[in-house]
Amino acid sequence: MIGQDGGVPIPPLRRNPVQRRSAERLGRILDACAELLDEVSYEELSTRAVAERAGVPIGSVYRFFSNKRAMAEALAHRNLDEYAERITRRLAASGVSATSDVSATSATSAISDAAGAGGGGWREAMDVVVDEYLAMKRGAPGFALIEFGHPVPATEPPEQPNHLVADRLRTLLADRLGGGRDEAAEERLRVAFLLAVETADALLRLAFRMDPEGDPAIVAETKELLRAYLARVLD
């Protein structure tokens, strides 16, 4: 899922929206897809149902997407954009310098600022990363199922979105370590972030199994675990 900003690669659309009207129609289609995924499984999702919910002809859906998998990929990318915007706003509100452009790239700048002196450092930045993930898990339509990757049938090779998220976070926070790292140090950093993301993913899934809103005790312990583990390479 890695794109030029370190996030999800923009999935190719059959046709890119040029006019505002076309962009709004694409937005309605993705909104409908997200809403339906809160009501039915990915297997039960259909492009026809999405078109009906969005109030557009079925041809409008196929103008942008070849199938529901492509639609889910686009929704995952939009989720990442929203996640980046949330992180940027939170860091800006806490006094971390951030630009007014709340794109995925601006989120990168904001988190990098937080990783340096001020704004609570990388610990606050990581707390924001966790908190905004939780907020989306609790309230963003379709996010509970799609998140930043789409469901892949068991017959197909699994994707590894956590590897991609770990690479992005490593890029965002790597400045805290300064330059001049050798190959061994870079590899240690890569492994550390991968383990942190995989661990957080497993623990937060447990938190939501224990409590539909995310068990507060498990969430708090997850943050403490991340701080203690990442301090070995970030301090």
Side-chain angles (χ1 to χ4, degrees), residues 94-142:
S94 67
V96 177
S97 175
T99 65
S100 59
D101 178 14
V102 288
S103 65
T105 301
S106 67
T108 299
S109 299
I111 295 179
S112 294
D113 288 341
W122 67 265
R123 288 173 175 81
E124 182 190 32
M126 289 304 298
D127 282 354
V128 169
V129 167
V130 172
D131 288 342
E132 292 307 319
Y133 169 83
L134 294 173
M136 292 190 70
K137 190 79 169 177
R138 291 165 179 152

Side-chain angles (χ1 to χ4, degrees), residues 22 30 59 61 85-86 96 99 101 103 126 153 175 182 184 197 202 207:
S22 181
L30 292 178
V61 175
E85 290 172 7
R86 285 171 176 261
V96 177
T99 65
D101 178 14
S103 65
M126 289 304 298
D175 288 345
D182 60 21
V197 170

Side-chain angles (χ1 to χ4, degrees), residues 191-203:
V191 172
F193 271 91
L194 175 58
L195 292 179
V197 170
E198 289 284 357
T199 300
D201 182 47
L203 291 176

